[in-house]
Amino acid sequence: MSLEGLKDLFFGSDKEREDSNMAEEAKALIDPSMLVGDIITKHPLAAQFLMECGMGCIHCPASQMESLAEACAVHGIDGEEITDALNDYLMEHNA
């Protein structure tokens, strides 16, 4: 068996590793329909990011029942823009 064949056997092919990495990244992404409380529980760094974006009340009881899109609408913030920026921030910080 070739060295390349052994590498694929033990570590998977380049395509398999790429697919696995993409699936892992997709799982980590924030979606605007996610509850703010769930986002902060899953990604604690998101709390500071959201506060800096103008959502100072992210720890209020409403955040436990409010989606990111709803919270953005209440605060007059573009939900899609915040979602994209938050996903970029979390990926940068491996959070």
Side-chain angles (χ1 to χ4, degrees):
M1 184 175 277
S2 72
L3 182 60
E4 190 66 31
L6 285 174
K7 185 180 107 183
D8 289 349
L9 178 66
F10 287 109
F11 302 108
S13 70
D14 290 338
K15 174 79 171 120
E16 289 171 334
R17 285 192 305 277
E18 184 179 308
D19 290 347
S20 175
N21 288 342
M22 287 175 61
E24 199 170 298
E25 285 178 7
K27 282 193 285 187
L29 294 178
I30 300 302
D31 182 280
S33 67
M34 293 175 71
L35 299 179
V36 173
D38 291 345
I39 292 169
I40 294 168
T41 298
K42 185 174 180 183
H43 304 283
L45 282 178
Q48 183 64 34
F49 179 87
L50 293 173
M51 286 191 289
E52 290 175 8
C53 291
M55 292 187 206
C57 59
I58 57 168
H59 295 291
C60 74
S63 73
Q64 301 303 310
M65 302 170 286
E66 195 170 52
S67 71
L68 181 58
E70 293 167 336
C72 287
V74 167
H75 290 89
I77 301 170
D78 184 324
E80 289 297 322
E81 186 177 323
I82 292 296
T83 301
D84 292 342
L86 180 54
N87 281 320
D88 291 344
Y89 178 81
L90 292 173
M91 285 202 181
E92 275 179 28
H93 292 86
N94 296 318

